[in-house]
Amino acid sequence: MTDDTAPINDPPPTAPGVATHEMTGQEDLAADDEEAPLPRGPGRLLRLCTGVDESVLAGVPSERPRYTAMGGVVFGTAAMAMVSMTYALICVFDGFRLFTVGVVLVWGLFILSLDRWMMAGGPIRGGYGAWRKVLPRLALSVALGMIVAEPLLLGVFHTAIQERVDRDRATEITDRESRLRDCNPTPGTPAAAEPEVTGPACEGFRLVVDGSPEPVQQELTATIENEKTMRSQFDADAKTHASLQEKARLECNGTPGDGLTGKYGEGVNCKRLRKEADDFYAAHHMAETNQRLTELTDKINKLNQDLATAQRTYDANRNDAINRELDKIRARHKGVGLLERFAALHDLVGEDSYVHATQWGLRIFLIVVDMLPVLLKAFTGETPYDRLVAEQIHRREDLEKQRTETRLAQQRNVESFRRHRSALQGQAWRRTLSQELRVRLGNVDADRQEMLAARERFLLRAALGPAIAPDDPEDTQELIIEPAPGGDR
């Protein structure tokens, strides 16, 4: 007899002839054979870099040396990438920083994981499919090889690059200083008026220097011009005055000549000529002019001293301004950046053919080293390990397919069982309701019969009256009809 009250969620009974692990799908995939203990040591760590499965490799122990060597290649490329990144970060940040350890480790793990992924892929067989697998991996390896190779090249040519950078920096400072001095001559000098200084060639090289001697130079130039003009006039007047004095002297001495009397003594002509000389001297203010020339000469001497002092002050201020500009360049030259090293290496390559050949030889070597994991995978072809892995994958796929089919059949059986049990529980519930309905209808009929009997006695008593015995217990009781539960009155 079926139990209609069994819970819906109870698991169905195990099907006859079906094992429990087949019903649940929890069987152990490794139950086919006993696994031998896996080897330990550095060789296993190197093989781990190739993504090899040691449990599968245990079936072909002769392949272990091959995969150990391949793991060493993968580890070597990752180590080379870490060294390259370390040197690049030291160049970028001008020295070692603590956070570079984390960056280098992450970069090394990335390269190791990438090479491991390329090594762990399926075997590369011949034909068009081989090129489809090899070319993308080779392109990726070349790109990574170039990234890894460049910092290592900088490390190889470190000494030559450092010397080149120092020489270029010294040349830059010398050229800058020379250009600043040429474009900032002393104001007021002829060099300051040259077209090269005032033209666009000196744009960006002009400095603002305090203490310019130009006002003193301008005043000195004006004073010298004034002194020259005044002295020229004074010299002409002095020459005329000297000629008049000489003529008066000759007349007074009685020297014969043109316009002279030839008589000795201070006669009328002697006095007249002397008076003409004195009148010319007074009329042309030669005494005042001579005094003014003396003052101008003293002023020129003082202005020359002031100009020399102003020029020394200006030169000192200009030197300070130039040094400040050069200090900015020296501050930028404190560390040798990565781009500056690349530029120096480019200059060295362009100047020396030997360096050019050496650079390309090292670059190609480093790129090929970084490509070795892919090349080894391509050249190795299909190995016994690859065949075992393919066979195991195929077996696991079949087993997983069978297990999935078993689970689906089990789920269908469970659903069928649940539907059948639900149908049985529905039938039991309907029978229970039908029985309760019959009981309630029976109660209603009994109440109705009792009500009719009571009504009949009441009518008989009303009709017969005293004919009914007084000691009849039914005659003395009050007629009370209680409705049945769920029924009508």
Side-chain angles (χ1 to χ4, degrees), residues 332-473:
R332 191 175 70 246
H333 289 171
K334 285 184 178 179
V336 184
L338 193 62
L339 293 179
E340 191 174 7
R341 291 179 182 273
F342 279 127
L345 179 60
H346 180 268
D347 294 338
L348 289 173
V349 169
E351 294 175 357
D352 193 337
S353 59
Y354 176 77
V355 176
H356 183 270
T358 305
Q359 178 218 19
W360 273 108
L362 288 173
R363 179 180 285 115
I364 293 173
F365 170 75
L366 294 173
I367 292 174
V368 170
V369 169
D370 199 73
M371 291 169 55
L372 280 179
V374 178
L375 296 176
L376 287 176
K377 190 67 176 178
F379 293 154
T380 301
E382 188 177 19
T383 63
Y385 168 80
D386 294 328
R387 288 191 291 271
L388 285 178
V389 170
E391 181 181 353
Q392 187 183 70
I393 292 174
H394 182 69
R395 188 172 67 241
R396 286 177 181 269
E397 288 178 351
D398 292 340
L399 184 59
E400 183 65 25
K401 182 178 179 180
Q402 295 175 4
R403 187 167 54 186
T404 302
E405 292 176 353
T406 302
R407 283 199 298 265
L408 291 176
Q410 179 186 2
Q411 291 176 0
R412 286 194 295 267
N413 293 333
V414 170
E415 292 298 326
S416 176
F417 172 79
R418 288 179 177 176
R419 286 195 298 269
H420 180 66
R421 185 173 59 182
S422 178
L424 293 177
Q425 288 179 348
Q427 293 176 4
W429 180 68
R430 286 193 295 271
R431 286 197 298 270
T432 301
L433 290 180
S434 178
Q435 183 179 358
E436 290 181 356
L437 180 61
R438 287 194 299 270
V439 171
R440 289 189 179 187
L441 290 176
N443 291 335
V444 171
D445 291 339
D447 292 340
R448 185 181 291 110
Q449 293 296 329
E450 184 180 354
M451 183 182 65
L452 291 175
R455 182 65 175 171
E456 182 179 359
R457 289 194 299 274
F458 174 77
L459 293 175
L460 288 174
R461 187 180 59 179
L464 299 177
I468 303 175
D471 55 354
D472 188 356

Side-chain angles (χ1 to χ4, degrees), residues 205-246:
F205 294 94
R206 298 188 180 94
L207 302 175
V208 178
V209 183
D210 297 331
S212 174
E214 188 172 7
V216 180
Q217 180 66 50
Q218 293 176 352
E219 184 179 2
L220 176 60
T221 301
T223 303
I224 291 175
E225 291 296 328
N226 188 16
E227 193 269 344
K228 286 182 178 180
T229 303
M230 187 177 296
R231 184 169 295 279
S232 175
Q233 183 64 37
F234 179 79
D235 290 342
D237 293 342
K239 184 177 180 180
T240 303
H241 181 256
S243 176
L244 292 174
Q245 282 185 330
E246 179 65 17

